Amino acid sequence: IYVLSYDSEVVAKTLTKAVQVDDGTAFLEKIVQVSFRVPRPEAFDLRRWFQDEVNKLLKSDETLRAALPSSASRRLAEVIDVYGGRFLQKPRDVVRALNSLKLHAIPVRDNIDIADMVWLQLIRLGSPDYYKWIEEYLTESSAAFYGAVISERAAMQMGQRLDDILRQNNIDPEHERFDLTKFLPGISGGFIGNRDQDRSRVFNNLNQNAFHEFIERRGLASPDHYRFYFAFAQS
């Protein structure tokens, strides 16, 4: 008796080409007498596994644990529930997200908010284009904090690019914008396609008060801390 572990679709396609048969699946059935399909993990199980591993990481590192005050625990759980449910589709995704978190969070743990870092790494895993947009947006918004002026044209282009990226990832732009207000400054709702409102949907009211909460908790949107989320140093 031989026990084989394989992806039936991959093997069937390989057999079709290698053996030059019309139906690789039918040919595979002649070789394997009895098969058992391993059930796909449920999304909740993947999120719970990721949550447990993040908790272990926090318990093992005192500084990381300090980066998550008790008041922020609910926010971390919400991040994992919403964005983990969206981007953790396979066990390999969980492993990749954990490895990415260890690589990016531990070296800069004195200068980050752990919930924000988890949010960013989940997006980095699931949508690289979305991740790049966030980095660009934070670069511009931080410059605005220190006095730079963002043109109306640049704002409209950034707003439209965000909508395009979200749609490509099957994410509702209007719903996502409301969630983004928890992580990025200057994001507001509006009606897609109305150019008069595009300007106010990103880079909106970037005054000192808009950044206060993010600076206080060393959040991703803090002009003093955002670079730590993308690199191992501030500059």
Side-chain angles (χ1 to χ4, degrees):
I1 297 175
Y2 296 90
V3 179
L4 308 176
S5 176
Y6 59 90
D7 186 317
S8 59
E9 293 183 5
V10 173
V11 174
K13 290 179 181 179
T14 302
L15 286 172
T16 301
K17 294 180 180 179
V19 187
Q20 296 183 348
V21 294
D22 295 331
D23 190 343
T25 300
F27 189 86
L28 182 59
E29 290 175 352
K30 296 178 181 179
I31 303 172
V32 180
Q33 303 300 312
V34 179
S35 63
F36 174 79
R37 181 178 291 275
V38 178
R40 293 179 61 87
E42 295 189 13
F44 174 76
D45 293 329
L46 295 176
R47 296 198 303 272
R48 184 173 60 183
W49 176 22
F50 183 69
Q51 176 77 71
D52 290 344
E53 293 299 325
V54 170
N55 288 339
K56 290 178 185 178
L57 183 63
L58 292 172
K59 291 178 181 179
S60 66
D61 192 296
E62 184 176 347
T63 306
L64 270 181
R65 197 161 60 248
L68 184 73
S70 56
S71 59
S73 297
R74 180 178 298 178
R75 195 162 57 85
L76 174 60
E78 182 180 346
V79 165
I80 294 175
D81 186 49
V82 175
Y83 289 87
R86 179 185 298 171
F87 294 124
L88 299 177
Q89 302 296 320
K90 304 182 296 293
R92 181 171 179 268
D93 294 335
V94 175
V95 175
R96 288 180 60 203
L98 289 169
N99 288 340
S100 181
L101 184 60
K102 293 173 185 177
L103 174 65
H104 289 273
I106 291 178
V108 295
R109 56 190 180 276
D110 293 321
N111 297 285
I112 62 168
D113 175 275
I114 190 63
D116 281 14
M117 179 62 88
V118 170
W119 178 76
L120 184 64
Q121 294 309 316
L122 286 172
I123 289 179
R124 180 174 176 268
L125 168 73
S127 177
D129 288 341
Y130 194 4
Y131 174 86
K132 292 176 183 176
W133 185 92
I134 291 171
E135 182 176 14
E136 183 178 342
Y137 184 82
L138 289 172
T139 300
E140 296 298 327
S141 64
S142 294
F145 175 81
Y146 291 110
V149 177
I150 300 172
S151 70
E152 182 175 344
R153 180 180 179 183
M156 287 193 297
Q157 289 176 342
M158 284 292 288
Q160 187 58 56
R161 280 177 52 208
L162 174 61
D163 287 344
D164 292 342
I165 290 170
L166 294 177
R167 289 196 185 95
Q168 289 169 6
N169 286 271
N170 297 316
I171 301 171
D172 177 60
E174 292 305 307
H175 185 272
E176 185 70 5
R177 282 176 179 273
F178 286 106
D179 286 341
L180 279 177
T181 60
K182 304 170 187 175
F183 304 96
L184 305 179
I187 303 291
S188 61
F191 297 100
I192 297 174
N194 188 334
R195 292 179 63 84
D196 293 335
Q197 293 189 5
D198 280 345
R199 177 65 181 90
S200 66
R201 300 180 69 208
V202 294
F203 302 122
N204 183 45
N205 296 325
L206 292 180
N207 51 41
Q208 300 289 315
N209 292 333
F211 292 89
H212 178 72
E213 176 195 347
F214 301 115
I215 294 173
E216 194 172 60
R217 63 177 172 84
R218 300 172 299 184
L220 174 63
S222 166
D224 298 329
H225 301 90
Y226 88 96
R227 288 307 307 166
F228 289 107
Y229 289 80
F230 299 93
F232 299 129
Q234 192 169 17
S235 60

